[in-house]
Structure formats: C-alpha cells, structure tokens
Amino acid sequence: MDKPFIAIEGPIGVGKSSLAHKLSQSYHFYEAKEIVGENPFLSDFYEDISKWSFQTEMFFLCNRYKDYQDLGSMHQGIVSDYHIYKNKIFARNTLSPIEFDKFSRIYDILTEDLRMPDYIVFLDAELFRLKERIKIRNRDFEIHIEDDYLLKLKADYLAYYESLKANGHHVIRIDTTHLDFVKNSTDYDTILNQINELIGGKTFE
C-alpha cells in the first residue's frame, strides 16, 4: 500500500515550502518542491497581470501536471509544497471569464487520471505577516504583488478548504500568524501534532 501523499497549501508567503521541508524530514518522505522561479513569464505577470496571465498560468499548469505524473508512480510517502488545484485558484483571479473557461477545461482533462494528495494542510496568516515573509525572502518578481491580490488569494483558499471539509476530505487549516515553525521547535511540534492527528496519529519510518 502506498504511503500518504500530503500537500501543503495556502497564499503566497505563508510558509508552504518551509513546512513541507521540515515534514519530509520528520516523516522521511519524498519532498516535492514547486519550482516557481523557472516560469519565464512571472516577472512580466506581476507587472501586468492582465497581459501575461494566460501564458503564466498555462506554463505552471503544464509543469505541475508533469510533476504530479511523476509523483503518481512513487510508492514512498510524499510531502508536496503545493496542490495542483492551486492552478484554478490563481487562474480564477487572473484570467478573463473566457480564458478561464478554456483553462479550466484543459485542467480537467489533464488532471482526470492523476493521483491527488490524500491529505491537505492549509496554512494561513494575516496580511501583514504574509507581506513580512515575502519581503524577507526577497524574490524580485514578487515586489509588485498588491494587497488586494493577496487578500483575494486568502479568501479563495479559505473557500476551497471549507468546500473540501464539507465534503469529507482529509484537510486541516492552521493559522501561522503567530507561529515561527522554522526557528521555534515548540511551534513546529504544535503543527506536527495537528498533522499527526490528521493522518491518523501515525508515524512512518
């Protein structure tokens, strides 16, 4: 039987990659990393979202599709710092209705036979904390991100979490505004204990 596939999700700057890395070490799972900086349209996208959104979203979708194809053949535990559904969340915020309809149909075709995560951990934080973390990691292409965009992403992730929870999926939402799970081991243990409960109180060697 395959070991669990855990995805970490949430808005930009919330700490997905940092938590995925730490969990992969705690569980001895494969760490699946999203490679954001390789998207050649990203800098242009944040400067002019309406002009570059379709190219940007399609590039991400194709790359994430290939990554999830590869993950589907693994029998070891997996911790990913993203869920492929994030493509729809971001695309809904950036594409015109006509473009989103096309994008959504392509997404549905590509993902219909992919292995999806068994558990999803949604991280969230207040806007000021997201902006603080984005500033600290100092990615050039994120300089132009506007507050309204981050707030809309927060709202959409919350709606996605609530819809999954209502339909019985294995999900958990953790507010990290006042948690520093990278530098504070107590904060990390708090999160780890919640995730252990989510996956059935199991540990994996």
Side-chain angles (χ1 to χ4, degrees):
M1 179 178 180
D2 291 345
K3 292 183 178 179
F5 180 0
I6 303 170
I8 315 298
E9 261 304 348
I12 299 168
V14 79
K16 299 182 292 293
S17 298
S18 297
L19 181 59
H21 178 66
K22 292 184 73 69
L23 289 175
S24 71
Q25 294 181 319
S26 295
Y27 292 134
H28 306 291
F29 282 7
Y30 175 80
E31 180 183 359
K33 301 177 183 179
E34 180 180 29
I35 308 300
V36 176
E38 291 184 358
N39 190 325
F41 304 106
L42 206 54
S43 295
D44 293 326
F45 167 78
Y46 282 123
E47 291 184 9
D48 190 340
I49 291 178
S50 61
K51 181 177 179 181
W52 294 99
S53 57
F54 193 79
Q55 297 94 319
T56 302
E57 301 301 351
M58 283 303 304
F59 184 93
F60 275 133
L61 176 58
C62 291
N63 275 265
R64 291 167 183 158
Y65 165 71
K66 180 61 171 65
D67 288 344
Y68 262 51
Q69 267 192 322
D70 295 339
L71 294 177
S73 65
M74 292 185 175
H75 299 287
Q76 67 190 102
I78 300 166
V79 180
S80 173
D81 65 2
Y82 73 99
H83 189 301
I84 194 169
Y85 187 82
K86 77 182 301 176
N87 289 279
K88 277 197 169 182
I89 291 176
F90 278 77
R92 189 175 287 111
N93 280 284
T94 59
L95 300 180
S96 69
I98 292 175
E99 288 177 328
F100 180 73
D101 179 65
K102 293 178 181 178
F103 180 90
S104 185
R105 282 183 279 142
I106 295 170
Y107 172 93
D108 291 343
I109 292 170
L110 290 178
T111 60
E112 62 184 359
D113 58 353
L114 290 180
R115 179 188 175 189
M116 292 296 178
D118 305 298
Y119 305 95
I120 310 175
V121 178
F122 286 87
L123 302 182
D124 200 2
E126 294 298 323
L127 178 63
F128 78 90
R129 189 66 75 203
L130 296 178
K131 293 175 66 176
E132 178 183 87
R133 293 171 181 167
I134 290 171
K135 184 177 180 180
I136 289 173
R137 70 187 187 186
N138 195 30
R139 293 176 177 172
D140 291 340
F141 56 81
E142 292 179 343
I143 294 174
H144 302 286
I145 297 178
E146 298 181 355
D147 290 0
D148 287 347
Y149 184 69
L150 287 173
L151 289 171
K152 187 65 168 61
L153 287 178
K154 277 172 53 65
D156 286 349
Y157 270 114
L158 177 59
Y160 182 44
Y161 160 76
E162 290 178 339
S163 69
L164 291 176
K165 184 178 180 181
N167 284 291
H169 292 270
H170 299 292
V171 296
I172 188 173
R173 180 174 175 269
I174 302 173
D175 189 332
T176 67
T177 303
H178 303 293
L179 297 175
D180 186 351
F181 56 82
V182 174
K183 297 180 179 179
N184 189 315
S185 60
T186 300
D187 286 349
Y188 175 63
D189 287 342
T190 297
I191 292 176
L192 182 61
N193 288 336
Q194 293 181 67
I195 296 174
N196 282 338
E197 291 183 11
L198 174 69
I199 63 178
K202 300 175 182 178
T203 57
F204 302 90
E205 299 298 335

